[in-house]
């Protein structure tokens, strides 16, 4: 295997596994320590992300693939980032008033 393939695997690990775990932990438990947030996020990503990917593949009548997993991870990342942005905007408005 070449170096580019290993780089792709590292990117996929970060983007589809670690980033959604960190974002979900930050959304669900914003006041807790980083270790608690990451462990809860990893547990959710390991259980929920494959189920969502499987459900989407059933809805689309297709097979499970890396692309579908990355699409579901992207939806999770964008949704969590939107929630965090809304919270940040709400908090800064409260400080201005």
């Amino acid at each position: 295997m070449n170096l580019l393939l290993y780089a792709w695997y590292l990117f996929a690990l970060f983007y589809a596994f670690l980033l959604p775990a960190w974002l979900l932990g930050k959304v669900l438990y914003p006041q807790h320590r980083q270790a608690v947030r990451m462990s809860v996020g990893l547990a959710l990503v390991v259980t929920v992300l494959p189920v969502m990917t499987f459900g989407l593949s059933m809805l689309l009548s297709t097979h499970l693939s890396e692309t579908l997993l990355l699409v579901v991870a992207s939806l999770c990342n964008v949704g969590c980032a939107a929630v965090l942005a809304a919270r940040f905007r709400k908090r800064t408005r409260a400080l201005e008033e």
Side-chain angles (χ1 to χ4, degrees):
M1 296 172 100
N2 56 10
L3 191 60
L4 192 58
L5 190 59
Y6 286 131
W8 166 251
Y9 288 153
L10 284 175
F11 169 74
L13 173 75
F14 173 75
Y15 189 76
F17 191 67
L18 296 176
L19 184 61
W22 183 78
L23 287 171
L24 276 172
K26 189 86 169 159
V27 166
L28 295 177
Y29 296 104
Q31 302 299 327
H32 290 285
R33 293 188 331 244
Q34 180 68 26
V36 173
R37 289 190 305 223
M38 196 65 180
S39 62
V40 168
L42 283 173
L44 285 174
V45 165
V46 166
T47 57
V48 172
L49 209 63
V51 171
M52 288 173 47
T53 306
F54 182 71
L56 187 61
S57 70
M58 284 181 60
L59 285 175
L60 297 175
S61 297
T62 184
H63 62 281
L64 292 170
S65 65
E66 293 172 355
T67 307
L68 195 60
L69 178 65
L70 288 176
V71 165
V72 172
S74 296
L75 292 174
C76 181
N77 290 340
V78 168
C80 290
V83 169
L84 288 174
R87 283 184 187 170
F88 181 73
R89 211 174 354 195
K90 184 178 178 182
R91 186 174 53 201
T92 56
R93 267 193 228 137
L95 290 174
E96 290 174 357
E97 293 175 356

